[in-house]
Structures are given as structure tokens and as C-alpha cells.
Amino acid sequence: MPTDDPSETFHVTTDDQLRAVSNLTRHRIMAVLRFEPATITQIAARVGLAKGSSSYHVRLLERAGLVKVVRTRKVRGVTERYYAMAARAIVLPDPGEGGPDVLMRHAVADLEAAPADGERHVRMAHLRLTEEQFAQLGARLEALADEYRELSDPSLPDASLVFALFHPTPRRQAEGDVK
């Protein structure tokens, strides 16, 4: 049975949905389901969880509407379910001033957990841009991410791309700092 094509965007709007995506284990499960459907057993093996834990987290994601069953099959009298993401992209609500950015926390955790001997490209650059340049750079980064997402092949190893382009809060100079 073919899989349903996921909708383009899922907007996280409820507290249950936000709790579901805020958990690092569930974030990693969604990463497994990003390109192709998988069973609880396959998810557990890819994430390094027990099947019971994997099932628990997938059920929470399913209840929140973030993943869905896209295919079933009978295996020795048991119905095996294949889960997939409900949408290609998830949009989180703005965390507000000073609020933690869930995706960035997960990205840092994934980076820290990645093999130290693997190839990494990590860079931080401080820029001074006009608003027009800022908007152009944001659009170029998003287009580049979209271009490479379209080129993604599920048979190849995972690679994560994370970027954040933002205006930091102006730092107040401490008393006595040289101006």
C-alpha cells in the first residue's frame, strides 16, 4: 500500500503538541521518520531505545498529530504499523523574548552526541547587515536548505543542517567598560 504524501506544514498550536516536540527522544524519532516510514522496531533500533519506550514516544507524537500510520501489514498474526511524519515541516510558536528555542536546544544536543571523529562543519559568524541584506541572507539560507532537502536520498546516512539568523539582544555595557 503506498504511503500518503505528507502535507507541507504542521503548525504546533497546543501545549500537548509543544510538549511532544520539546522532548529530545521524540525529536530523534521524528528525524528517523523524516524521509521514510518505519515500524516501532525499526525506530527503536535507529534511535537506540527499547521497543516499549519507542512505542510510548511514537504514541505521544501520534496523539499530538505529528506522526501518523501510513501503512500496515500482517506479520505472523500481528499488525505491523509503519509511521511517517504528518507534514514535511513543523512550525513552532515563537518562544517569546528570553524563551528557549526548542529546535536549537535539540540541534546542540544532537551535535554533542555526534561522533567526535566524524566530519563536522560548525561555524559562527557575527555580521553587520542592513535589513535588506538580513532578509536576503535568510531567504538564501532557506532556499539552500530546501534545495538539499529535495536532493536527500533515504539510503544515505543522515546529515543535519541547522542555522539561526537573528538579531541578538543588544548587550548593555557594564559600568566601567571602556567605550
Side-chain angles (χ1 to χ4, degrees):
M1 174 194 269
T3 63
D4 294 334
D5 203 23
S7 65
E8 199 59 37
T9 306
F10 182 95
H11 291 270
V12 172
T13 57
T14 69
D15 288 342
D16 285 342
Q17 292 167 342
L18 190 56
R19 274 192 293 278
V21 298
S22 295
N23 179 276
L24 183 59
T25 298
R26 291 189 283 275
H27 163 79
R28 290 180 175 157
I29 289 170
M30 289 187 293
V32 167
L33 300 175
R34 180 178 3 187
F35 294 113
E36 62 187 346
T39 65
I40 294 294
T41 302
Q42 292 166 336
I43 293 167
R46 293 272 311 272
V47 178
L49 288 174
K51 281 180 18 179
S53 293
S54 180
S55 178
Y56 166 79
H57 288 290
V58 169
R59 277 195 318 273
L60 287 176
L61 289 167
E62 185 179 23
R63 261 188 255 136
L66 294 156
V67 302
K68 62 184 179 178
V69 175
V70 294
R71 183 171 65 228
T72 60
R73 71 178 189 149
K74 289 279 188 188
V75 178
R76 293 185 291 278
V78 176
T79 301
E80 189 172 59
R81 292 175 181 84
Y82 285 80
Y83 295 88
M85 292 299 299
R88 293 182 198 279
I90 297 172
V91 177
L92 298 176
D94 187 333
E97 188 174 335
D101 187 292
V102 171
L103 292 179
M104 282 296 147
R105 283 196 330 243
H106 291 334
V108 169
D110 285 346
L111 178 62
E112 290 171 344
D117 60 350
E119 184 176 1
R120 300 177 186 203
H121 302 273
V122 179
R123 179 175 179 181
M124 181 173 187
H126 297 283
L127 310 170
R128 292 191 177 196
L129 306 171
T130 66
E131 285 303 316
E132 182 179 342
Q133 291 169 326
F134 183 88
Q136 287 174 344
L137 180 55
R140 285 178 61 193
L141 289 169
E142 289 178 12
L144 189 61
D146 290 343
E147 176 186 339
Y148 276 86
R149 186 175 54 220
E150 291 299 318
L151 295 173
S152 292
D153 180 344
S155 68
L156 298 173
D158 287 344
S160 292
L161 170 66
V162 179
F163 62 85
L165 178 63
F166 58 96
H167 292 291
T169 302
R171 296 182 187 194
R172 294 186 182 128
Q173 290 184 330
E175 276 187 55
D177 281 356
V178 177
K179 292 186 181 185

